Amino acid sequence: APLGGSVTYTTNDAELINPDIRPDDLKESQKNAQQVIDRAVTLVVGDERVPVEPKEVGQWLQFSYEEKAATIGLNADKVAASLDALVGAKVAITPGKSTVALYDGNEVSRVDGPAVRAVDAGAMTTQLQQALTAEGSSTPAVPVVTRAVPPTVTYTRDYSKTQTGLQAYVRHLGADFDIRVSVQQLGGPGWSVGARQNEQAISASTYKLFVAIYVLRQIAENKASYDDQISGMSTRACLDKMIINSDNPCAEAFLAKFDAKKVSEFFWSNGYSRGTSMFFSDGLARTTTADLNKAVIELEQGKILSGEGRSLLLDLMGRQVYRSGVPAGTSAGVKNKVGFMNGYLNDAAIVSHPRGTYAISIITKGESWGKIAEATRQIESLMYP
């Protein structure tokens, strides 16, 4: 039956909630709901009275059933929307804003703005329900209750051109964004900083860097050859495609041929994180920025791979086609491997800056290549002002 011209309440609706509801219970619920709607309500804001149309009240109603008895309640979300439209502007104070200045992550000054005042929708829902369902027939007048809302906070950040400042910046990346990062200077002062660097995440195609290192070691140890056929081409051609174009079939074929578990165990035995860097769990490779940075550093320094294999892999990384991350954030030469899948954008790189070579690995989720480039620029500006 229509209630107040806005609510339709039928036997079928009740049966969906509780098939044991009796028709007489439904009629009684409809009668009670109509009485609530007919009473309407008036909101009181200071000296002003704001009437609420019965149709609006009808939109608030919701029913619950326990032991075949129907109870009328109010939908808090619908009440909040109505209050905002009817009296929100009458009680609100212009949102305040506080400004906090940080230097190397530490607060150095603060200017507090005023608190915001807004309708307390939760308290109002309770009061309106009590007023509308109370005994009597008069139209209830309900004073509008407000609550204080803290002002929004805007931060200004500045960093010293020191390792402390650099650490504060990457900590900000890890705290305020879904970003994990590792940075290591390979010369000069040797600064090393990180944020969430040991946190496991989906590696996406950065795992192909590990695969390439393993395959090239097998070749260096005469356990495989550049001419071996893999995925319908030579191992050399497959390595090229896997790194330059981030080809998936080649990487998967290499893992199948050499045993993904053995690849993981090789890196674990060489000091990489057991249980965090792996290439066979749930079909998704996982790693950390700490392990990615370790890989590119040991590659650059000839520790994990040397000779012809090292030179080949670094050359391929310098020619890989995805350049919107770390390479876009520096004018220096970059040899890197990216990965992207399921919202992850990752980059692991060796950057040959004129003031010093450094390694940087970034794993992000829900961010952009532009954010990775921006982080690279800021990191460089702090290391090499």
Side-chain angles (χ1 to χ4, degrees):
L3 302 174
S6 62
V7 177
T8 300
Y9 187 64
T10 69
T11 302
N12 288 337
D13 292 331
E15 287 176 344
L16 290 174
I17 300 170
N18 187 336
D20 296 326
I21 292 293
R22 298 177 304 171
D24 288 346
D25 294 328
L26 295 177
K27 291 178 181 179
E28 185 66 23
S29 297
Q30 292 170 348
K31 176 182 176 182
N32 293 339
Q34 193 67 59
Q35 289 175 346
V36 169
I37 292 169
D38 289 343
R39 296 182 70 181
V41 69
T42 297
L43 303 174
V44 181
V45 184
D47 295 331
E48 186 176 357
R49 301 173 75 84
V50 180
V52 182
E53 295 293 330
K55 180 178 179 180
E56 191 82 16
V57 176
Q59 296 285 359
W60 298 349
L61 301 188
Q62 65 182 15
F63 305 86
S64 60
Y65 299 89
E66 293 182 7
E67 298 181 358
K68 301 183 181 182
T71 301
I72 298 174
L74 302 186
N75 184 300
D77 292 337
K78 292 181 179 180
V79 171
S82 293
L83 292 174
D84 184 61
L86 291 168
V87 297
K90 299 178 184 297
V91 303
I93 294 176
T94 302
K97 183 178 292 184
S98 297
T99 302
V100 177
L102 302 176
Y103 186 73
D104 286 353
N106 299 311
E107 184 176 323
V108 293
S109 68
R110 173 185 289 264
V111 177
D112 287 321
V116 181
R117 190 175 68 186
V119 175
D120 189 334
M124 286 298 297
T125 299
T126 299
Q127 292 195 23
L128 286 166
Q129 180 162 335
Q130 291 172 347
L132 288 167
T133 57
E135 293 184 2
S137 59
S138 62
T139 298
V142 179
V144 174
V145 180
T146 62
R147 61 186 177 88
V149 180
T152 59
V153 180
T154 299
Y155 293 94
T156 61
R157 294 179 170 85
D158 194 16
Y159 303 95
S160 62
K161 314 297 185 180
T162 65
Q163 185 172 0
T164 299
L166 181 62
Q167 179 61 67
Y169 173 67
V170 300
R171 187 180 298 116
H172 156 62
L173 291 178
D176 295 339
F177 304 92
D178 197 349
I179 293 178
R180 304 140 197 84
V181 59
S182 294
V183 180
Q184 172 71 61
Q185 291 180 330
L186 303 186
W191 293 354
S192 178
V193 299
R196 298 169 64 181
Q197 65 269 33
N198 295 308
E199 180 180 303
Q200 185 190 67
I202 292 176
S203 69
S205 288
T206 59
Y207 85 91
K208 295 166 186 172
L209 176 63
F210 295 99
V211 174
I213 290 171
Y214 187 85
V215 172
L216 288 165
R217 281 186 63 100
Q218 297 301 299
I219 293 172
E221 295 170 6
N222 295 317
K223 298 176 182 177
S225 165
Y226 287 114
D227 296 325
D228 291 344
Q229 291 296 296
I230 189 84
S231 195
M233 66 191 78
S234 70
T235 290
R236 173 58 188 266
C238 223
L239 284 168
D240 287 3
K241 288 189 67 175
M242 183 176 71
I243 300 301
I244 294 176
N245 304 108
S246 203
D247 181 78
N248 289 325
C250 281
E252 292 162 4
F254 281 133
L255 285 178
K257 176 178 179 178
F258 292 104
D259 188 341
K261 186 173 183 180
K262 287 183 179 178
V263 175
S264 295
E265 290 173 342
F266 165 78
F267 285 98
W268 297 344
S269 67
N270 280 274
Y272 292 75
S273 304
R274 179 176 292 274
T276 54
S277 285
M278 59 182 68
F279 314 113
F280 56 89
S281 177
D282 302 330
L284 293 176
R286 292 172 168 80
T287 191
T288 66
T289 59
D291 278 355
L292 283 172
N293 238 32
K294 179 177 171 65
V296 295
I297 289 170
E298 292 188 340
L299 178 61
E300 172 70 11
Q301 296 177 338
K303 293 180 179 179
I304 195 73
L305 188 64
S306 60
E308 180 184 3
R310 170 185 175 275
S311 298
L312 171 62
L313 183 49
L314 286 173
D315 174 67
L316 296 177
M317 291 167 64
R319 293 191 288 123
Q320 67 86 22
V321 298
Y322 300 101
R323 315 297 291 178
S324 299
V326 171
T330 177
S331 59
V334 178
K335 300 177 181 67
N336 66 312
K337 183 69 193 79
V338 303
F340 45 90
M341 74 175 300
N342 296 351
Y344 283 89
L345 297 181
N346 308 335
D347 209 344
I350 291 291
V351 183
S352 300
H353 191 275
R355 302 266 304 273
T357 299
Y358 69 94
I360 178 171
S361 295
I362 301 180
I363 292 177
T364 74
K365 187 173 185 184
E367 300 295 338
S368 66
W369 291 120
K371 185 64 178 180
I372 294 176
E374 173 195 324
T376 303
R377 280 191 294 272
Q378 180 70 3
I379 286 167
E380 273 200 5
S381 73
L382 296 175
M383 291 194 298
Y384 309 119

